[in-house]
């Protein structure tokens, strides 16, 4: 799984009621990000291209070249499933962003015009195969991520168990392509037994934590199948137990006071990602609308 889908995928599974992250598993399978349908007249799918603000691979802090943007557009306009293609440059995206976040000065101050990636917005023909659209573009050079706003996966209602845990700590899996898991090597390195013990001790001794549990990839896989078998059987068929990471779930004494333990866990060896659910909705909306991922401390002051 490409690092470009890491944050949104973790957010998606929280909303979907399956507190696991397929995206944090091995690097051998890519899936389009499924998101909440837009409330406005936004296009059904968005294809974000690389910008300097996207520091993770494959963008690595580089703008997509004009040739790469042209190549992506040519592929999109040639797809039989696509009815309409429109392009939004950084200036237009920034103007729309300023209007959307006019009441949030902390977010406005944190984002500059060049931070927002350019994007293509697609209208899909009735009955068009959306997965074919994703498969046609996700390996193109200069691509940041693809967002499908019409996926049914997000409509699931979270269970009481999902709502209990405010923080999910996803551990490195074999092949996880993120920097903290050895992404600079040929493959990422799975969290070791010693690293898992250290993470467990850090969580258990943190004063902000009321309760925590360890969830193996086997248990996560069963929960994943239950959540997606009906709405996305193709995704279930393409996913194996080993694709999912082990994880810890944390219940906080005060759900809005977990920033300290979250920041410590992010720096802990063996940790691929930490999802602080107190700020997931706000970060999720920003990502699906603008292809931008800001830290929780910026999106939700007081949570970090």
């Amino acid at each position: 799984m490409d690092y470009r889908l890491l944050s949104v995928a973790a957010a998606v599974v929280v909303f979907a009621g399956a507190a696991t992250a397929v995206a944090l598993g091995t690097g051998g399978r890519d899936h389009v990000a499924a998101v909440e349908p837009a409330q406005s007249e936004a296009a059904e799918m968005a294809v974000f291209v690389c910008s300097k603000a996207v520091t993770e691979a494959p963008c690595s802090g580089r703008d997509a070249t004009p040739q790469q943007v042209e190549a992506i557009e040519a592929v999109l306009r040639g797809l039989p499933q696509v009815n309409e293609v429109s392009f939004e440059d950084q200036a237009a995206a920034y103007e729309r962003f300023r209007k959307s976040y006019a009441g949030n000065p902390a977010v406005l101050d944190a984002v500059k015009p060049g931070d927002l990636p350019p994007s293509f917005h697609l209208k899909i023909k009735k009955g068009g195969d959306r997965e074919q659209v994703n498969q046609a573009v996700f390996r193109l050079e200069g691509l940041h991520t693809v967002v499908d706003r019409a996926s049914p996966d997000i409509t699931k209602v979270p269970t009481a168990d999902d709502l209990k845990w405010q923080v999910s700590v996803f551990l490195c899996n074999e092949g996880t392509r993120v920097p903290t898991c050895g992404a600079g090597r040929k493959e990422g390195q799975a969290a070791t037994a010693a690293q898992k013990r250290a993470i467990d001790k850090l969580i258990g001794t943190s004063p902000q934590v009321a309760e925590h549990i360890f969830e193996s990839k086997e248990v996560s896989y069963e929960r994943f199948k239950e959540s997606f078998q009906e709405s996305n059987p193709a995704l279930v068929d393409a996913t194996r137990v080993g694709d999912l990471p082990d994880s810890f779930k944390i219940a906080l004494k005060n759900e809005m006071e977990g920033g300290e333990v979250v920041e410590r866990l992010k720096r802990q060896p063996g940790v691929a990602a930490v999802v602080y659910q107190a700020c997931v909705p706000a970060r999720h909306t920003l990502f699906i609308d603008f292809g931008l991922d800001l830290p929780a401390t910026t999106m939700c002051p007081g949570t970090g």
Side-chain angles (χ1 to χ4, degrees), residues 68-92:
Q68 289 172 338
V69 175
E70 290 176 3
I72 293 172
E73 181 175 12
V75 170
L76 294 174
R77 293 192 181 280
L79 294 174
Q81 301 87 355
V82 177
N83 193 46
E84 181 181 328
V85 178
S86 60
F87 180 72
E88 183 176 62
D89 61 20
Q90 288 180 306

Side-chain angles (χ1 to χ4, degrees), residues 10 13 19 38 49 107 132 155 160 167 192 238 268 300:
V13 294
V49 302
V107 174
Q132 287 184 4
T155 62
V167 179
T192 65
Q268 191 71 13
C300 310

Side-chain angles (χ1 to χ4, degrees):
M1 180 67 195
D2 283 353
Y3 185 69
R4 63 178 180 260
L5 298 184
L6 181 68
S7 299
V8 70
V12 165
V13 294
V14 172
F15 281 111
T20 58
V22 178
L24 302 183
T26 63
R29 295 179 177 85
D30 289 75
H31 302 294
V32 66
V35 300
E36 184 177 12
Q39 298 302 312
S40 64
E41 295 182 356
E44 296 171 358
M45 296 185 75
V47 178
F48 295 98
V49 302
C50 288
S51 70
K52 292 179 180 178
V54 183
T55 58
E56 67 269 17
C59 299
S60 302
R62 296 187 297 269
D63 287 328
T65 66
Q67 293 78 13
Q68 289 172 338
V69 175
E70 290 176 3
I72 293 172
E73 181 175 12
V75 170
L76 294 174
R77 293 192 181 280
L79 294 174
Q81 301 87 355
V82 177
N83 193 46
E84 181 181 328
V85 178
S86 60
F87 180 72
E88 183 176 62
D89 61 20
Q90 288 180 306
Y94 187 67
E95 181 179 354
R96 182 165 61 89
F97 168 80
R98 297 284 301 181
K99 293 179 180 177
S100 297
Y101 290 89
N104 193 330
V107 174
L108 289 178
D109 290 344
V111 177
K112 303 296 184 286
D115 293 339
L116 296 168
S119 57
F120 292 96
H121 299 270
L122 315 180
K123 295 283 189 180
I124 307 300
K125 293 179 181 178
K126 184 177 181 179
D129 191 325
R130 317 176 79 82
E131 181 58 23
Q132 287 184 4
V133 175
N134 177 52
Q135 293 297 323
V137 299
F138 80 88
R139 291 192 185 279
L140 294 177
E141 295 293 327
L143 179 75
H144 169 29
T145 194
V146 180
V147 171
D148 184 358
R149 297 188 175 102
S151 170
D153 294 335
I154 204 62
T155 62
K156 292 179 173 25
V157 178
T159 66
D161 185 63
D162 294 326
L163 297 174
K164 174 180 178 179
W165 311 104
Q166 290 90 34
V167 179
S168 294
V169 183
F170 299 107
L171 306 187
C172 295
N173 207 6
E174 193 68 30
T176 303
R177 292 163 58 185
V178 297
T180 54
C181 300
R185 309 169 194 173
K186 185 176 181 180
E187 287 187 332
Q189 306 297 304
T192 65
Q195 288 173 338
K196 291 178 183 178
R197 289 194 295 270
I199 295 167
D200 184 54
K201 182 178 180 180
L202 189 158
I203 297 171
T205 56
S206 297
Q208 299 91 358
V209 174
E211 180 184 352
H212 75 286
I213 62 170
F214 174 79
E215 183 170 273
S216 68
K217 62 184 65 180
E218 291 78 13
V219 173
S220 294
Y221 182 69
E222 291 304 315
R223 288 164 50 76
F224 165 76
K225 287 197 299 183
E226 291 176 4
S227 295
F228 291 96
Q229 187 62 65
E230 292 186 7
S231 65
N232 199 335
L235 176 60
V236 173
D237 290 343
T239 305
R240 302 293 179 265
V241 174
D243 294 336
L244 277 74
D246 294 327
S247 63
F248 288 94
K249 295 181 183 181
I250 300 174
L252 300 169
K253 294 178 180 177
N254 183 328
E255 68 175 2
M256 297 304 292
E257 294 182 359
E260 181 179 342
V261 66
V262 166
E263 291 305 313
R264 291 178 65 192
L265 285 165
K266 287 179 180 178
R267 299 190 295 269
Q268 191 71 13
V271 172
V274 183
V275 177
Y276 189 6
Q277 294 173 206
C279 196
V280 162
R283 296 180 69 194
H284 179 65
T285 299
L286 178 67
F287 193 94
I288 67 173
D289 285 348
F290 297 98
L292 185 66
D293 183 26
L294 290 181
T297 50
T298 300
M299 286 299 300
C300 310
T303 62

